[in-house]
Amino acid sequence: MAKVLLVSDNEKQNEQISKALAKTSASIVVSTDETAIINYIEKSIVSMIIVDESLESSDALILCKKIHAAAIKGNIAIVVIVAQDTQNSDLLKMSHSYITKPINEKLLTAGILNNLKLKKAIDTLSTNNSELAKSLYQLDVLYNTSTQLAGSLDKQKLINIMIDGLEKSLSFSLSSVLVFNDEHNIDLIINSLYGISPRLEHSLKLRAILSYRALFDKKRIPYELNVNDIKVIKNIKYPLEEYDLNILKFDNLFAPINIGEKFFGLIEVFRETDYTQEDTTCFQTLARQVSLPLENASLYEEIKKTNIKLEKLERLKSEFISIVSHELRTPLTAIKNSLEICLSGKAGEVSSIMDKFLNMAKRNVTRLSGIINDLLDLSKVEAGKMDFKFEKTAITTPVEFMKNTFENVAKEKNIQLTLEKDDNLCETYIDTQRIEQVMSNLISNAIKFTNENGNITIKIENTKVTDIDKSKLIGIEKPVFYNNYIKVSVKDSGIGIAAEDLKKVFDQFQQIENSLNRKNGGTGLGLPIAKQLIEAHRGFIWVESELNKGTTFSFAIPILTEKDKFIIDLDKEISKAKTCNNNLLLVLIKEKQQSEKSFIEDIGKEKISIIRKTSSTKEVEYHEDGYNYLAVMIPEADKFAQSFIEKKIESTIQNSGEETNSPKYDILYSTIIFPDSGENSLELMEAAKNALKCRVEA
């Protein structure tokens, strides 16, 4: 029932208004006490206030101003009773409507009822707007929380994001989250507005255990759990005040947290004010939303653990192969030497039958030595321990040498072995011994799988990256391409390879099944090793073949600049730093090409000593966009070394003891540390360049 407050000391008028309102559903309260009137308004006891202009106990205008100020928040209507000829315009401004004297009961009743209806409509609209605003806010929180959840693979962070979302949308007093990281790592995360007493903390532990057991009821519980197994993590906003057991009487919401079909934890939130249906929906939605990101995080953790195990197994495999191969080489060398002594006749006369069997043994010892060498090479390449000596030279030298080496072998099968090469072939950085190893494998395979009276053509040519068919490059992750390459191909007229087998040729221990393979045997390691050796040169190797029509193996080595070679060396040092868990420092210096005093030139002439050079320290000068650059890598240099070098550069480029304050050298420099600034050479160089740009902008 709506209540109307009548502020009037005219008893006759009050009686008339009371009788008129008695015919409606509204009740009336009469008062002229200012304190009581304000109390009625602040506690929202009344829905309307009627003020008489002709109050004797107080000034109606002043009182009306106070009523207006107090009533504005509660949307309470103010009606004034005035004389027909009233001049009090200020009083009329303070009211929503007025009634003139003498009072017409019908008009009075109609006016009051209309104002009460308006008040009710305004209240309903205000409530609806408030609920709508709350719903929109909760939707916004849900959207932002789901976005944050999608961006993380850290379980602890995901739980914190969920709790933060619940706090924003529900304004809870306390949340209790039980999380099973694993059987021996169980956390109870408590987020509370105020501090919590020791007995409340113990009670929350017990409550979490009971809730956990209740979830499984008659089913098998994943883990047995008691109070001592739980580690409590507390996040308190205002620790000066404290909650006790009385908070357990607050309204609460509860939900399990699952990862797929597996149990992960549970959450309970407490609030002094009751939760609405919308609050419950929001809570349950957030508890479900975190499930999929937690599942992704669990899968990611499993993948990481599996990768660590695989890496360990790979290292153990490589070490085992290396140890076994070394152990086999020693007795094999002794056997080979003994066979050669016997065959030479120094140990006694050798009959024709003995010679046959001794030569057979020698061939098999040689073959076994080759297999062991392949295994050793493979283990070195995979472990990143293969040593490369890159020198700028013509690739024709190792190619021609291997062609000449295999000419007699080819003649035994009456195979024509020819070499074709472009004029003006460019030089590039290669390890001659490793290119010989690749060519030995390709030419020996070509001879092995080419029938008698066949032909093999070796071709060397300059080529561009646009001429390389990238669809034929197999098993290369994140390839880096250069503009110019030297291409070497070995084309035979042999038995060829079936289309379905082409993708297998570079797999370890893989042999393509055919009669000729079985006849010739082999480990299936030659081509995988060749692939790794070519990729160490930043090149590519691929195969083209048609069954019974021949095969062409080709590889392309990039024509590298000194800067490109430096980047290869940088990656090599990064690989060592990863293995030894060390740092590596990269220093990049930039100056205009037409500088009057060249900092880079003076370093070259050793007029400036910034870095103490060692055998592992490497540097390169190169030119880009009208600037000279000097890049220097310093292995095993930490942040202390970085700071020391920066101070030395600063002190060198400034004039000391001269009147002018202008610097002696016009340079920019940056110092970048691995692994903080990048995981590979390209990332480190990019970080160093970005640091130079930042210095320009600063």
Side-chain angles (χ1 to χ4, degrees):
M1 181 184 289
K3 280 194 176 182
V4 177
L5 174 61
L6 177 59
V7 183
S8 171
D9 46 19
N10 185 330
E11 291 184 6
K12 187 177 179 181
Q13 180 179 268
N14 293 351
E15 187 178 346
Q16 182 188 7
I17 294 171
S18 296
K19 283 181 181 179
L21 287 179
K23 298 173 185 178
T24 69
S25 59
S27 63
I28 191 165
V29 179
V30 180
S31 177
T32 55
D33 182 79
E34 185 178 317
T35 305
I37 292 167
I38 299 301
N39 188 52
Y40 280 129
I41 296 167
E42 288 178 348
K43 292 186 177 180
S44 301
I45 296 172
V46 294
S47 303
M48 178 187 289
I49 303 171
I50 302 173
V51 182
D52 189 359
E53 177 187 31
S54 55
L55 279 171
E56 293 180 2
S57 57
S58 59
D59 187 316
L61 178 60
I62 295 172
L63 180 60
C64 212
K65 284 181 179 179
K66 292 179 180 178
I67 291 170
H68 185 272
I72 195 166
K73 289 182 180 179
N75 296 319
I76 299 173
I78 302 172
V79 179
V80 292
I81 303 172
V82 295
Q84 286 186 351
D85 57 350
T86 183
Q87 300 297 314
N88 199 341
S89 59
D90 290 337
L91 182 64
L92 293 173
K93 288 178 183 177
M94 291 292 108
S95 66
H96 297 100
S97 62
Y98 64 90
I99 302 168
T100 57
K101 299 177 183 178
I103 295 173
N104 183 307
E105 290 186 14
K106 288 184 178 180
L107 290 174
L108 171 68
T109 304
I112 289 172
L113 290 175
N114 284 335
N115 276 288
L116 288 174
K117 284 180 183 177
L118 182 61
K119 156 74 170 148
K120 186 177 180 181
I122 290 171
D123 284 348
T124 303
L125 182 63
S126 176
T127 302
N128 290 341
N129 284 342
S130 176
E131 289 176 356
L132 179 61
K134 182 182 175 183
S135 296
L136 288 172
Y137 175 72
Q138 286 183 341
L139 283 171
D140 185 56
V141 171
L142 285 172
Y143 173 76
N144 290 330
T145 304
S146 64
T147 303
Q148 290 179 60
L149 289 171
S152 178
L153 289 170
D154 184 309
K155 286 182 181 177
Q156 185 61 55
K157 190 175 179 181
L158 289 170
I159 293 296
N160 290 337
I161 290 169
M162 179 192 67
I163 295 170
D164 185 55
L166 288 171
E167 185 179 5
K168 286 177 181 176
S169 56
L170 302 181
S171 300
F172 58 70
S173 305
L174 180 145
S175 72
S176 171
V177 186
L178 186 68
V179 173
F180 286 77
N181 298 304
D182 56 58
E183 188 177 359
H184 307 291
N185 185 9
I186 302 163
D187 297 334
L188 183 68
I189 305 166
I190 300 172
N191 283 55
S192 179
L193 194 61
Y194 303 126
I196 57 173
S197 65
R199 62 178 185 170
L200 175 58
E201 180 180 322
H202 187 74
S203 297
L204 289 171
K205 279 185 174 183
L206 289 172
R207 190 181 180 96
I209 292 170
L210 291 172
S211 298
Y212 163 64
R213 289 175 179 169
L215 280 172
F216 292 93
D217 194 14
K218 296 177 183 179
K219 299 177 184 177
R220 188 176 68 85
I221 296 177
Y223 309 115
E224 286 299 329
L225 183 62
N226 59 60
V227 172
N228 297 326
D229 295 330
I230 300 174
K231 182 180 75 175
V232 176
I233 300 169
K234 290 184 281 189
N235 301 304
I236 309 299
K237 275 196 172 183
Y238 307 111
L240 295 178
E241 295 187 48
E242 190 175 82
Y243 283 131
D244 200 11
L245 295 179
N246 62 316
I247 197 174
L248 300 178
K249 297 177 182 178
F250 289 2
D251 197 13
N252 72 303
L253 294 172
F254 169 85
I257 303 170
N258 296 317
I259 298 179
E261 296 180 357
K262 294 181 181 178
F263 175 79
F264 177 73
L266 53 87
I267 179 167
E268 190 170 17
V269 292
F270 299 86
R271 191 172 75 182
E272 192 167 3
T273 57
D274 290 347
Y275 290 109
T276 64
Q277 184 59 45
E278 287 77 12
D279 292 336
T280 305
T281 303
C282 180
F283 172 76
Q284 291 172 344
T285 303
L286 271 172
R288 285 194 300 268
Q289 264 189 347
V290 78
S291 177
L292 183 59
L294 280 172
E295 188 174 2
N296 291 338
S298 295
L299 291 171
Y300 178 68
E301 284 182 2
E302 287 178 18
I303 290 168
K304 281 175 68 177
K305 288 176 183 176
T306 304
N307 283 341
I308 291 168
K309 288 179 182 177
L310 288 172
E311 286 173 5
K312 186 178 179 181
L313 286 171
E314 193 66 27
R315 284 197 302 272
L316 289 171
K317 184 202 79 173
S318 296
E319 288 171 9
F320 173 76
I321 290 172
S322 181
I323 291 167
V324 171
S325 300
H326 277 294
E327 291 298 317
L328 286 172
R329 283 175 86 177
T330 305
L332 274 177
T333 303
I335 293 168
K336 189 177 180 181
N337 291 337
S338 298
L339 287 169
E340 286 176 350
I341 291 168
C342 289
L343 283 166
S344 67
K346 293 178 181 178
E349 188 179 349
V350 180
S351 67
S352 59
I353 295 174
M354 289 170 63
D355 183 80
K356 177 184 175 183
F357 284 108
L358 287 171
N359 273 302
M360 185 187 297
K362 183 182 175 183
R363 283 197 302 274
N364 281 287
V365 166
T366 303
R367 180 167 167 265
L368 188 54
S369 295
I371 292 170
I372 290 168
N373 288 333
D374 281 348
L375 287 169
L376 280 171
D377 283 344
L378 183 67
S379 64
K380 283 181 182 178
V381 170
E382 288 182 341
K385 295 178 180 178
M386 177 73 82
D387 289 325
F388 291 92
K389 296 178 181 178
F390 291 102
E391 294 178 352
K392 196 165 189 178
T393 186
I395 202 169
T396 51
T397 304
V399 174
E400 286 180 345
F401 174 75
M402 294 315 299
K403 184 256 182 187
N404 295 334
T405 301
F406 279 94
E407 268 186 340
N408 289 332
V409 181
K411 283 178 182 178
E412 289 177 7
K413 292 180 71 176
N414 200 26
I415 293 172
Q416 186 178 358
L417 182 61
T418 56
L419 173 65
E420 299 175 0
K421 57 182 180 179
D422 284 357
D423 296 330
N424 303 318
L425 286 168
C426 300
E427 291 187 341
T428 189
Y429 289 94
I430 60 169
D431 183 323
T432 302
Q433 184 183 346
R434 300 306 171 194
I435 295 298
E436 285 177 0
Q437 191 174 347
V438 172
M439 289 304 302
S440 172
N441 183 273
L442 297 182
I443 297 170
S444 65
N445 274 354
I447 294 171
K448 187 188 299 182
F449 298 114
T450 300
N451 293 320
E452 291 186 4
N453 303 314
N455 57 76
I456 297 170
T457 303
I458 303 168
K459 188 173 182 180
I460 314 171
E461 57 187 320
N462 291 320
T463 191
K464 301 218 174 262
V465 67
T466 50
D467 297 327
I468 297 173
D469 186 352
K470 299 175 183 62
S471 65
K472 291 185 170 65
L473 306 181
I474 301 167
I476 300 172
E477 294 182 7
K478 297 180 181 178
V480 176
F481 294 102
Y482 298 85
N483 291 327
N484 299 305
Y485 287 82
I486 296 173
K487 177 183 171 185
V488 180
S489 57
V490 179
K491 182 178 180 180
D492 65 57
S493 60
I495 61 174
I497 304 169
E500 63 269 18
D501 292 326
L502 285 174
K503 291 183 179 179
K504 303 176 187 176
V505 294
F506 295 110
D507 292 346
Q508 293 177 16
F509 305 104
Q510 178 67 52
Q511 288 184 306
I512 309 305
E513 286 298 325
N514 57 50
S515 59
L516 197 55
N517 263 66
R518 288 192 292 272
K519 179 182 173 182
N520 290 282
T523 61
L525 292 176
L527 288 172
I529 293 170
K531 182 175 184 288
Q532 302 228 34
L533 294 177
I534 292 299
E535 286 176 0
H537 284 73
R538 293 298 193 275
F540 310 103
I541 187 168
W542 66 96
V543 60
E544 300 165 272
S545 185
E546 192 173 343
L547 205 58
N548 300 318
K549 289 189 177 180
T551 301
T552 303
F553 278 94
S554 305
F555 65 85
I557 301 286
I559 300 171
L560 301 174
T561 62
E562 289 187 15
K563 179 188 173 185
D564 296 329
K565 166 66 167 49
F566 175 82
I567 289 173
I568 291 176
D569 290 336
L570 182 56
D571 262 332
K572 184 179 176 182
E573 291 299 330
I574 288 171
S575 180
K576 286 183 183 177
K578 283 180 180 177
T579 304
C580 303
N581 198 26
N582 285 334
N583 296 112
L584 182 143
L585 180 64
L586 174 65
V587 181
L588 186 62
I589 297 166
K590 169 185 176 181
E591 70 178 6
K592 291 181 180 177
Q593 286 185 1
Q594 304 302 324
S595 296
E596 291 183 13
K597 296 179 179 178
S598 173
F599 184 86
I600 294 173
E601 190 177 315
D602 285 349
I603 285 179
K605 293 176 180 176
E606 297 185 353
K607 290 183 180 179
I608 302 170
S609 175
I610 301 296
I611 301 129
R612 184 180 294 172
K613 294 183 181 179
T614 66
S615 59
S616 54
T617 302
K618 292 183 176 65
E619 63 182 49
V620 66
E621 288 183 44
Y622 63 96
H623 315 287
E624 281 182 11
D625 304 325
Y627 290 92
N628 291 332
Y629 288 86
L630 175 67
V632 185
M633 75 171 91
I634 310 165
E636 300 179 36
D638 55 14
K639 289 187 180 293
F640 177 79
Q642 181 184 26
S643 175
F644 175 76
I645 287 171
E646 285 180 351
K647 286 176 182 176
K648 283 198 76 176
I649 293 174
E650 288 288 347
S651 64
T652 304
I653 63 176
Q654 295 296 329
N655 279 324
S656 56
E658 295 185 12
E659 294 181 2
T660 175
N661 291 322
S662 62
K664 187 174 182 181
Y665 299 99
D666 183 15
I667 70 164
L668 289 173
Y669 71 91
S670 62
T671 56
I672 300 297
I673 283 237
F674 166 84
D676 299 357
S677 302
E679 287 294 315
N680 55 52
S681 60
L682 295 177
E683 287 181 10
L684 286 183
M685 290 293 282
E686 189 64 27
K689 281 195 170 184
N690 288 336
L692 291 178
K693 289 178 185 175
C694 290
R695 283 181 175 271
V696 172
E697 290 168 2

